[in-house]
PDB file of all heavy atoms in Angstrom:
ATOM      1  N   GLU A 409       0.788  -1.165  -0.048  1.00  0.00           N
ATOM      2  CA  GLU A 409       0.025  -0.031  -0.002  1.00  0.00           C
ATOM      3  C   GLU A 409       0.852   1.206  -0.006  1.00  0.00           C
ATOM      4  O   GLU A 409       0.499   2.216  -0.622  1.00  0.00           O
ATOM      5  CB  GLU A 409      -0.936  -0.037   1.206  1.00  0.00           C
ATOM      6  CG  GLU A 409      -1.909   1.106   1.161  1.00  0.00           C
ATOM      7  CD  GLU A 409      -2.904   1.028   2.422  1.00  0.00           C
ATOM      8  OE1 GLU A 409      -3.085  -0.089   2.921  1.00  0.00           O
ATOM      9  OE2 GLU A 409      -3.375   2.098   2.731  1.00  0.00           O
ATOM     10  N   LEU A 410       1.981   1.204   0.830  1.00  0.00           N
ATOM     11  CA  LEU A 410       2.928   2.388   0.839  1.00  0.00           C
ATOM     12  C   LEU A 410       3.430   2.660  -0.606  1.00  0.00           C
ATOM     13  O   LEU A 410       3.477   3.893  -1.011  1.00  0.00           O
ATOM     14  CB  LEU A 410       4.048   2.066   1.819  1.00  0.00           C
ATOM     15  CG  LEU A 410       5.235   2.992   1.850  1.00  0.00           C
ATOM     16  CD1 LEU A 410       4.756   4.439   2.335  1.00  0.00           C
ATOM     17  CD2 LEU A 410       6.359   2.399   2.603  1.00  0.00           C
ATOM     18  N   ILE A 411       3.890   1.645  -1.340  1.00  0.00           N
ATOM     19  CA  ILE A 411       4.433   1.814  -2.661  1.00  0.00           C
ATOM     20  C   ILE A 411       3.332   2.415  -3.675  1.00  0.00           C
ATOM     21  O   ILE A 411       3.718   3.379  -4.364  1.00  0.00           O
ATOM     22  CB  ILE A 411       5.103   0.545  -3.140  1.00  0.00           C
ATOM     23  CG1 ILE A 411       6.200   0.146  -2.264  1.00  0.00           C
ATOM     24  CG2 ILE A 411       5.544   0.710  -4.654  1.00  0.00           C
ATOM     25  CD1 ILE A 411       6.810  -1.228  -2.609  1.00  0.00           C
ATOM     26  N   GLU A 412       2.231   1.857  -3.522  1.00  0.00           N
ATOM     27  CA  GLU A 412       1.134   2.281  -4.439  1.00  0.00           C
ATOM     28  C   GLU A 412       0.794   3.838  -4.217  1.00  0.00           C
ATOM     29  O   GLU A 412       0.668   4.602  -5.094  1.00  0.00           O
ATOM     30  CB  GLU A 412      -0.174   1.445  -4.276  1.00  0.00           C
ATOM     31  CG  GLU A 412      -1.380   2.011  -5.024  1.00  0.00           C
ATOM     32  CD  GLU A 412      -1.080   2.001  -6.600  1.00  0.00           C
ATOM     33  OE1 GLU A 412      -0.349   1.287  -7.130  1.00  0.00           O
ATOM     34  OE2 GLU A 412      -1.830   2.803  -7.203  1.00  0.00           O
ATOM     35  N   ASN A 413       0.734   4.114  -2.885  1.00  0.00           N
ATOM     36  CA  ASN A 413       0.475   5.543  -2.564  1.00  0.00           C
ATOM     37  C   ASN A 413       1.611   6.527  -2.905  1.00  0.00           C
ATOM     38  O   ASN A 413       1.378   7.610  -3.426  1.00  0.00           O
ATOM     39  CB  ASN A 413       0.254   5.699  -1.018  1.00  0.00           C
ATOM     40  CG  ASN A 413      -1.049   5.051  -0.597  1.00  0.00           C
ATOM     41  OD1 ASN A 413      -1.985   4.915  -1.392  1.00  0.00           O
ATOM     42  ND2 ASN A 413      -1.186   4.768   0.736  1.00  0.00           N
ATOM     43  N   ALA A 414       2.828   6.048  -2.822  1.00  0.00           N
ATOM     44  CA  ALA A 414       3.965   6.891  -3.331  1.00  0.00           C
ATOM     45  C   ALA A 414       3.988   6.971  -4.868  1.00  0.00           C
ATOM     46  O   ALA A 414       4.206   8.007  -5.347  1.00  0.00           O
ATOM     47  CB  ALA A 414       5.288   6.202  -2.802  1.00  0.00           C
ATOM     48  N   TRP A 415       3.516   5.960  -5.580  1.00  0.00           N
ATOM     49  CA  TRP A 415       3.462   6.056  -7.059  1.00  0.00           C
ATOM     50  C   TRP A 415       2.379   7.128  -7.400  1.00  0.00           C
ATOM     51  O   TRP A 415       2.623   7.913  -8.266  1.00  0.00           O
ATOM     52  CB  TRP A 415       3.025   4.667  -7.583  1.00  0.00           C
ATOM     53  CG  TRP A 415       2.289   4.739  -8.848  1.00  0.00           C
ATOM     54  CD1 TRP A 415       1.036   4.409  -9.208  1.00  0.00           C
ATOM     55  CD2 TRP A 415       3.007   5.167 -10.182  1.00  0.00           C
ATOM     56  NE1 TRP A 415       0.782   4.574 -10.541  1.00  0.00           N
ATOM     57  CE2 TRP A 415       1.963   4.999 -11.121  1.00  0.00           C
ATOM     58  CE3 TRP A 415       4.190   5.605 -10.502  1.00  0.00           C
ATOM     59  CZ2 TRP A 415       2.127   5.325 -12.451  1.00  0.00           C
ATOM     60  CZ3 TRP A 415       4.426   5.852 -11.880  1.00  0.00           C
ATOM     61  CH2 TRP A 415       3.493   5.778 -12.825  1.00  0.00           C
ATOM     62  N   ARG A 416       1.274   7.137  -6.741  1.00  0.00           N
ATOM     63  CA  ARG A 416       0.262   8.122  -7.018  1.00  0.00           C
ATOM     64  C   ARG A 416       0.781   9.495  -6.654  1.00  0.00           C
ATOM     65  O   ARG A 416       0.450  10.400  -7.444  1.00  0.00           O
ATOM     66  CB  ARG A 416      -0.983   7.770  -6.265  1.00  0.00           C
ATOM     67  CG  ARG A 416      -1.652   6.614  -6.803  1.00  0.00           C
ATOM     68  CD  ARG A 416      -2.818   6.126  -5.996  1.00  0.00           C
ATOM     69  NE  ARG A 416      -3.383   4.786  -6.373  1.00  0.00           N
ATOM     70  CZ  ARG A 416      -4.587   4.317  -6.127  1.00  0.00           C
ATOM     71  NH1 ARG A 416      -5.428   4.987  -5.515  1.00  0.00           N
ATOM     72  NH2 ARG A 416      -4.836   3.143  -6.623  1.00  0.00           N
ATOM     73  N   GLN A 417       1.588   9.623  -5.642  1.00  0.00           N
ATOM     74  CA  GLN A 417       2.083  10.884  -5.289  1.00  0.00           C
ATOM     75  C   GLN A 417       3.097  11.416  -6.248  1.00  0.00           C
ATOM     76  O   GLN A 417       3.222  12.544  -6.504  1.00  0.00           O
ATOM     77  CB  GLN A 417       2.720  10.838  -3.880  1.00  0.00           C
ATOM     78  CG  GLN A 417       3.423  12.132  -3.426  1.00  0.00           C
ATOM     79  CD  GLN A 417       4.120  11.892  -2.061  1.00  0.00           C
ATOM     80  OE1 GLN A 417       3.860  10.876  -1.312  1.00  0.00           O
ATOM     81  NE2 GLN A 417       4.967  12.851  -1.754  1.00  0.00           N
ATOM     82  N   TYR A 418       3.993  10.615  -6.816  1.00  0.00           N
ATOM     83  CA  TYR A 418       5.121  11.035  -7.553  1.00  0.00           C
ATOM     84  C   TYR A 418       4.927  10.745  -9.133  1.00  0.00           C
ATOM     85  O   TYR A 418       5.777  11.122  -9.856  1.00  0.00           O
ATOM     86  CB  TYR A 418       6.410  10.343  -7.109  1.00  0.00           C
ATOM     87  CG  TYR A 418       6.887  10.689  -5.817  1.00  0.00           C
ATOM     88  CD1 TYR A 418       6.815   9.848  -4.729  1.00  0.00           C
ATOM     89  CD2 TYR A 418       7.526  12.008  -5.657  1.00  0.00           C
ATOM     90  CE1 TYR A 418       7.207  10.283  -3.479  1.00  0.00           C
ATOM     91  CE2 TYR A 418       8.008  12.367  -4.457  1.00  0.00           C
ATOM     92  CZ  TYR A 418       7.769  11.471  -3.353  1.00  0.00           C
ATOM     93  OH  TYR A 418       8.340  11.916  -2.076  1.00  0.00           O
ATOM     94  N   GLN A 419       3.893  10.190  -9.511  1.00  0.00           N
ATOM     95  CA  GLN A 419       3.722   9.722 -10.869  1.00  0.00           C
ATOM     96  C   GLN A 419       3.886  10.908 -12.028  1.00  0.00           C
ATOM     97  O   GLN A 419       4.275  10.657 -13.112  1.00  0.00           O
ATOM     98  CB  GLN A 419       2.546   8.905 -11.171  1.00  0.00           C
ATOM     99  CG  GLN A 419       1.242   9.691 -10.976  1.00  0.00           C
ATOM    100  CD  GLN A 419       0.030   8.822 -11.215  1.00  0.00           C
ATOM    101  OE1 GLN A 419       0.154   7.800 -11.935  1.00  0.00           O
ATOM    102  NE2 GLN A 419      -1.121   9.236 -10.734  1.00  0.00           N
ATOM    103  N   ASN A 420       3.696  12.147 -11.527  1.00  0.00           N
ATOM    104  CA  ASN A 420       3.875  13.237 -12.391  1.00  0.00           C
ATOM    105  C   ASN A 420       5.159  14.066 -12.219  1.00  0.00           C
ATOM    106  O   ASN A 420       5.410  15.103 -12.639  1.00  0.00           O
ATOM    107  CB  ASN A 420       2.654  14.293 -12.297  1.00  0.00           C
ATOM    108  CG  ASN A 420       1.312  13.607 -12.642  1.00  0.00           C
ATOM    109  OD1 ASN A 420       1.263  12.901 -13.737  1.00  0.00           O
ATOM    110  ND2 ASN A 420       0.239  13.796 -11.944  1.00  0.00           N
ATOM    111  N   ASP A 421       6.035  13.442 -11.444  1.00  0.00           N
ATOM    112  CA  ASP A 421       7.343  14.115 -11.044  1.00  0.00           C
ATOM    113  C   ASP A 421       8.587  13.357 -11.547  1.00  0.00           C
ATOM    114  O   ASP A 421       9.580  13.317 -10.857  1.00  0.00           O
ATOM    115  CB  ASP A 421       7.397  14.183  -9.518  1.00  0.00           C
ATOM    116  CG  ASP A 421       6.353  15.153  -8.898  1.00  0.00           C
ATOM    117  OD1 ASP A 421       5.832  15.954  -9.617  1.00  0.00           O
ATOM    118  OD2 ASP A 421       6.023  14.888  -7.786  1.00  0.00           O
ATOM    119  N   ASP A 422       8.505  12.838 -12.824  1.00  0.00           N
ATOM    120  CA  ASP A 422       9.698  12.069 -13.294  1.00  0.00           C
ATOM    121  C   ASP A 422      10.185  10.931 -12.419  1.00  0.00           C
ATOM    122  O   ASP A 422      11.306  10.731 -12.291  1.00  0.00           O
ATOM    123  CB  ASP A 422      10.832  13.057 -13.517  1.00  0.00           C
ATOM    124  CG  ASP A 422      10.558  14.218 -14.521  1.00  0.00           C
ATOM    125  OD1 ASP A 422       9.807  13.883 -15.541  1.00  0.00           O
ATOM    126  OD2 ASP A 422      11.124  15.363 -14.369  1.00  0.00           O
ATOM    127  N   VAL A 423       9.231  10.300 -11.870  1.00  0.00           N
ATOM    128  CA  VAL A 423       9.472   9.097 -11.084  1.00  0.00           C
ATOM    129  C   VAL A 423       8.664   7.967 -11.610  1.00  0.00           C
ATOM    130  O   VAL A 423       7.416   8.078 -11.729  1.00  0.00           O
ATOM    131  CB  VAL A 423       9.118   9.363  -9.583  1.00  0.00           C
ATOM    132  CG1 VAL A 423       9.477   8.086  -8.783  1.00  0.00           C
ATOM    133  CG2 VAL A 423       9.911  10.434  -8.974  1.00  0.00           C
ATOM    134  N   ILE A 424       9.296   6.860 -11.801  1.00  0.00           N
ATOM    135  CA  ILE A 424       8.633   5.612 -12.355  1.00  0.00           C
ATOM    136  C   ILE A 424       8.822   4.574 -11.269  1.00  0.00           C
ATOM    137  O   ILE A 424       9.965   4.276 -10.747  1.00  0.00           O
ATOM    138  CB  ILE A 424       9.305   5.150 -13.632  1.00  0.00           C
ATOM    139  CG1 ILE A 424       9.166   6.279 -14.659  1.00  0.00           C
ATOM    140  CG2 ILE A 424       8.597   3.844 -14.074  1.00  0.00           C
ATOM    141  CD1 ILE A 424       9.924   5.955 -15.943  1.00  0.00           C
ATOM    142  N   PHE A 425       7.699   4.006 -10.896  1.00  0.00           N
ATOM    143  CA  PHE A 425       7.658   2.764 -10.084  1.00  0.00           C
ATOM    144  C   PHE A 425       7.589   1.608 -10.940  1.00  0.00           C
ATOM    145  O   PHE A 425       6.822   1.504 -11.834  1.00  0.00           O
ATOM    146  CB  PHE A 425       6.533   2.863  -9.000  1.00  0.00           C
ATOM    147  CG  PHE A 425       6.843   3.918  -7.865  1.00  0.00           C
ATOM    148  CD1 PHE A 425       6.786   5.183  -8.138  1.00  0.00           C
ATOM    149  CD2 PHE A 425       7.114   3.409  -6.611  1.00  0.00           C
ATOM    150  CE1 PHE A 425       7.041   6.100  -7.143  1.00  0.00           C
ATOM    151  CE2 PHE A 425       7.342   4.211  -5.528  1.00  0.00           C
ATOM    152  CZ  PHE A 425       7.344   5.525  -5.810  1.00  0.00           C
ATOM    153  N   LEU A 426       8.417   0.640 -10.652  1.00  0.00           N
ATOM    154  CA  LEU A 426       8.394  -0.583 -11.586  1.00  0.00           C
ATOM    155  C   LEU A 426       8.526  -1.822 -10.615  1.00  0.00           C
ATOM    156  O   LEU A 426       9.402  -1.996  -9.839  1.00  0.00           O
ATOM    157  CB  LEU A 426       9.649  -0.526 -12.461  1.00  0.00           C
ATOM    158  CG  LEU A 426       9.773  -1.664 -13.487  1.00  0.00           C
ATOM    159  CD1 LEU A 426       8.468  -1.811 -14.323  1.00  0.00           C
ATOM    160  CD2 LEU A 426      10.976  -1.458 -14.370  1.00  0.00           C
ATOM    161  N   GLY A 427       7.444  -2.710 -10.684  1.00  0.00           N
ATOM    162  CA  GLY A 427       7.378  -3.862  -9.878  1.00  0.00           C
ATOM    163  C   GLY A 427       7.808  -5.082 -10.725  1.00  0.00           C
ATOM    164  O   GLY A 427       7.329  -5.236 -11.816  1.00  0.00           O
ATOM    165  N   VAL A 428       8.495  -5.926 -10.083  1.00  0.00           N
ATOM    166  CA  VAL A 428       9.021  -7.171 -10.726  1.00  0.00           C
ATOM    167  C   VAL A 428       8.717  -8.366  -9.848  1.00  0.00           C
ATOM    168  O   VAL A 428       9.084  -8.417  -8.677  1.00  0.00           O
ATOM    169  CB  VAL A 428      10.541  -7.242 -10.914  1.00  0.00           C
ATOM    170  CG1 VAL A 428      11.018  -8.494 -11.470  1.00  0.00           C
ATOM    171  CG2 VAL A 428      10.997  -6.043 -11.754  1.00  0.00           C
ATOM    172  N   ALA A 429       7.703  -9.244 -10.323  1.00  0.00           N
ATOM    173  CA  ALA A 429       7.264 -10.325  -9.511  1.00  0.00           C
ATOM    174  C   ALA A 429       8.280 -11.447  -9.581  1.00  0.00           C
ATOM    175  O   ALA A 429       8.520 -12.014 -10.653  1.00  0.00           O
ATOM    176  CB  ALA A 429       5.815 -10.777 -10.053  1.00  0.00           C
ATOM    177  N   TYR A 430       8.898 -11.823  -8.553  1.00  0.00           N
ATOM    178  CA  TYR A 430       9.951 -12.738  -8.399  1.00  0.00           C
ATOM    179  C   TYR A 430       9.470 -14.142  -8.068  1.00  0.00           C
ATOM    180  O   TYR A 430       8.694 -14.231  -7.011  1.00  0.00           O
ATOM    181  CB  TYR A 430      10.978 -12.269  -7.278  1.00  0.00           C
ATOM    182  CG  TYR A 430      11.953 -13.340  -6.980  1.00  0.00           C
ATOM    183  CD1 TYR A 430      13.053 -13.687  -7.879  1.00  0.00           C
ATOM    184  CD2 TYR A 430      11.979 -14.029  -5.817  1.00  0.00           C
ATOM    185  CE1 TYR A 430      13.906 -14.649  -7.617  1.00  0.00           C
ATOM    186  CE2 TYR A 430      12.853 -14.975  -5.499  1.00  0.00           C
ATOM    187  CZ  TYR A 430      13.896 -15.295  -6.418  1.00  0.00           C
ATOM    188  OH  TYR A 430      14.735 -16.255  -6.087  1.00  0.00           O
ATOM    189  N   ALA A 431       9.751 -15.155  -8.828  1.00  0.00           N
ATOM    190  CA  ALA A 431       9.451 -16.513  -8.563  1.00  0.00           C
ATOM    191  C   ALA A 431       7.968 -16.639  -8.074  1.00  0.00           C
ATOM    192  O   ALA A 431       7.685 -17.329  -7.043  1.00  0.00           O
ATOM    193  CB  ALA A 431      10.462 -17.114  -7.490  1.00  0.00           C
ATOM    194  N   ASP A 432       7.070 -16.133  -8.926  1.00  0.00           N
ATOM    195  CA  ASP A 432       5.672 -16.174  -8.582  1.00  0.00           C
ATOM    196  C   ASP A 432       4.954 -16.703  -9.818  1.00  0.00           C
ATOM    197  O   ASP A 432       5.475 -16.626 -10.932  1.00  0.00           O
ATOM    198  CB  ASP A 432       5.232 -14.722  -8.292  1.00  0.00           C
ATOM    199  CG  ASP A 432       4.090 -14.621  -7.271  1.00  0.00           C
ATOM    200  OD1 ASP A 432       3.661 -15.703  -6.830  1.00  0.00           O
ATOM    201  OD2 ASP A 432       3.868 -13.492  -6.768  1.00  0.00           O
ATOM    202  N   VAL A 433       3.758 -17.205  -9.530  1.00  0.00           N
ATOM    203  CA  VAL A 433       2.946 -17.602 -10.738  1.00  0.00           C
ATOM    204  C   VAL A 433       1.871 -16.521 -11.026  1.00  0.00           C
ATOM    205  O   VAL A 433       1.457 -15.784 -10.141  1.00  0.00           O
ATOM    206  CB  VAL A 433       2.111 -18.899 -10.430  1.00  0.00           C
ATOM    207  CG1 VAL A 433       3.115 -20.036 -10.325  1.00  0.00           C
ATOM    208  CG2 VAL A 433       1.292 -18.791  -9.174  1.00  0.00           C
ATOM    209  N   GLU A 434       1.618 -16.276 -12.321  1.00  0.00           N
ATOM    210  CA  GLU A 434       0.818 -15.131 -12.791  1.00  0.00           C
ATOM    211  C   GLU A 434      -0.434 -14.997 -12.138  1.00  0.00           C
ATOM    212  O   GLU A 434      -0.791 -13.861 -11.715  1.00  0.00           O
ATOM    213  CB  GLU A 434       0.678 -15.166 -14.211  1.00  0.00           C
ATOM    214  CG  GLU A 434       0.067 -13.906 -14.866  1.00  0.00           C
ATOM    215  CD  GLU A 434       0.207 -13.777 -16.284  1.00  0.00           C
ATOM    216  OE1 GLU A 434       1.032 -14.374 -16.993  1.00  0.00           O
ATOM    217  OE2 GLU A 434      -0.603 -12.969 -16.832  1.00  0.00           O
ATOM    218  N   PRO A 435      -1.280 -16.018 -11.954  1.00  0.00           N
ATOM    219  CA  PRO A 435      -2.560 -15.758 -11.265  1.00  0.00           C
ATOM    220  C   PRO A 435      -2.462 -15.218  -9.810  1.00  0.00           C
ATOM    221  O   PRO A 435      -3.125 -14.372  -9.375  1.00  0.00           O
ATOM    222  CB  PRO A 435      -3.200 -17.194 -11.270  1.00  0.00           C
ATOM    223  CG  PRO A 435      -2.590 -17.938 -12.355  1.00  0.00           C
ATOM    224  CD  PRO A 435      -1.191 -17.318 -12.394  1.00  0.00           C
ATOM    225  N   ASN A 436      -1.358 -15.717  -9.105  1.00  0.00           N
ATOM    226  CA  ASN A 436      -1.116 -15.224  -7.713  1.00  0.00           C
ATOM    227  C   ASN A 436      -0.734 -13.760  -7.777  1.00  0.00           C
ATOM    228  O   ASN A 436      -1.085 -12.928  -6.948  1.00  0.00           O
ATOM    229  CB  ASN A 436      -0.184 -16.089  -7.046  1.00  0.00           C
ATOM    230  CG  ASN A 436      -0.622 -17.511  -6.753  1.00  0.00           C
ATOM    231  OD1 ASN A 436      -1.857 -17.715  -6.868  1.00  0.00           O
ATOM    232  ND2 ASN A 436       0.212 -18.334  -6.360  1.00  0.00           N
ATOM    233  N   SER A 437       0.166 -13.489  -8.759  1.00  0.00           N
ATOM    234  CA  SER A 437       0.681 -12.108  -8.841  1.00  0.00           C
ATOM    235  C   SER A 437      -0.476 -11.136  -9.203  1.00  0.00           C
ATOM    236  O   SER A 437      -0.614 -10.026  -8.590  1.00  0.00           O
ATOM    237  CB  SER A 437       1.735 -11.964 -10.010  1.00  0.00           C
ATOM    238  OG  SER A 437       2.823 -12.747  -9.675  1.00  0.00           O
ATOM    239  N   ILE A 438      -1.392 -11.476 -10.073  1.00  0.00           N
ATOM    240  CA  ILE A 438      -2.496 -10.593 -10.492  1.00  0.00           C
ATOM    241  C   ILE A 438      -3.452 -10.509  -9.296  1.00  0.00           C
ATOM    242  O   ILE A 438      -3.843  -9.333  -9.057  1.00  0.00           O
ATOM    243  CB  ILE A 438      -3.129 -11.123 -11.744  1.00  0.00           C
ATOM    244  CG1 ILE A 438      -2.200 -11.043 -12.972  1.00  0.00           C
ATOM    245  CG2 ILE A 438      -4.416 -10.428 -12.021  1.00  0.00           C
ATOM    246  CD1 ILE A 438      -2.577 -11.580 -14.165  1.00  0.00           C
ATOM    247  N   ALA A 439      -3.713 -11.494  -8.559  1.00  0.00           N
ATOM    248  CA  ALA A 439      -4.505 -11.476  -7.424  1.00  0.00           C
ATOM    249  C   ALA A 439      -3.952 -10.498  -6.332  1.00  0.00           C
ATOM    250  O   ALA A 439      -4.711  -9.671  -5.755  1.00  0.00           O
ATOM    251  CB  ALA A 439      -4.829 -12.906  -6.755  1.00  0.00           C
ATOM    252  N   TYR A 440      -2.652 -10.617  -6.008  1.00  0.00           N
ATOM    253  CA  TYR A 440      -2.004  -9.706  -5.239  1.00  0.00           C
ATOM    254  C   TYR A 440      -2.127  -8.214  -5.570  1.00  0.00           C
ATOM    255  O   TYR A 440      -2.414  -7.368  -4.803  1.00  0.00           O
ATOM    256  CB  TYR A 440      -0.533 -10.133  -5.080  1.00  0.00           C
ATOM    257  CG  TYR A 440       0.468  -9.170  -4.310  1.00  0.00           C
ATOM    258  CD1 TYR A 440       0.638  -9.431  -2.998  1.00  0.00           C
ATOM    259  CD2 TYR A 440       1.109  -8.184  -4.960  1.00  0.00           C
ATOM    260  CE1 TYR A 440       1.475  -8.669  -2.247  1.00  0.00           C
ATOM    261  CE2 TYR A 440       1.965  -7.296  -4.292  1.00  0.00           C
ATOM    262  CZ  TYR A 440       2.167  -7.685  -2.926  1.00  0.00           C
ATOM    263  OH  TYR A 440       3.012  -6.791  -2.215  1.00  0.00           O
ATOM    264  N   MET A 441      -1.940  -7.904  -6.886  1.00  0.00           N
ATOM    265  CA  MET A 441      -1.975  -6.609  -7.432  1.00  0.00           C
ATOM    266  C   MET A 441      -3.371  -6.077  -7.269  1.00  0.00           C
ATOM    267  O   MET A 441      -3.596  -4.908  -6.937  1.00  0.00           O
ATOM    268  CB  MET A 441      -1.421  -6.573  -8.815  1.00  0.00           C
ATOM    269  CG  MET A 441       0.040  -6.746  -8.889  1.00  0.00           C
ATOM    270  SD  MET A 441       0.728  -6.509 -10.595  1.00  0.00           S
ATOM    271  CE  MET A 441      -0.022  -7.875 -11.498  1.00  0.00           C
ATOM    272  N   LYS A 442      -4.407  -6.879  -7.525  1.00  0.00           N
ATOM    273  CA  LYS A 442      -5.808  -6.512  -7.438  1.00  0.00           C
ATOM    274  C   LYS A 442      -6.173  -6.203  -5.890  1.00  0.00           C
ATOM    275  O   LYS A 442      -6.845  -5.263  -5.630  1.00  0.00           O
ATOM    276  CB  LYS A 442      -6.748  -7.518  -7.932  1.00  0.00           C
ATOM    277  CG  LYS A 442      -6.751  -7.489  -9.502  1.00  0.00           C
ATOM    278  CD  LYS A 442      -7.801  -8.550 -10.059  1.00  0.00           C
ATOM    279  CE  LYS A 442      -7.809  -8.480 -11.547  1.00  0.00           C
ATOM    280  NZ  LYS A 442      -8.658  -9.438 -12.114  1.00  0.00           N
TER     281      LYS A 442
END
């Protein structure tokens, strides 16, 4: 939640947040992001 809130705060300030799902299966990753 902290990272998502920071993304929303900085997304117009030349800051890119990029998530990399490590050793995860896609359905679990998508459920987590939702």
Side-chain angles (χ1 to χ4, degrees):
E409 187 177 336
L410 170 68
I411 297 171
E412 176 61 26
N413 289 339
W415 157 246
R416 291 177 187 197
Q417 176 184 345
Y418 290 107
Q419 66 182 335
N420 297 318
D421 294 332
D422 296 329
V423 179
I424 299 170
F425 284 70
L426 181 59
V428 177
Y430 169 74
D432 215 351
V433 293
E434 188 167 337
N436 293 349
S437 296
I438 291 171
Y440 172 92
M441 291 183 295
K442 284 182 180 178

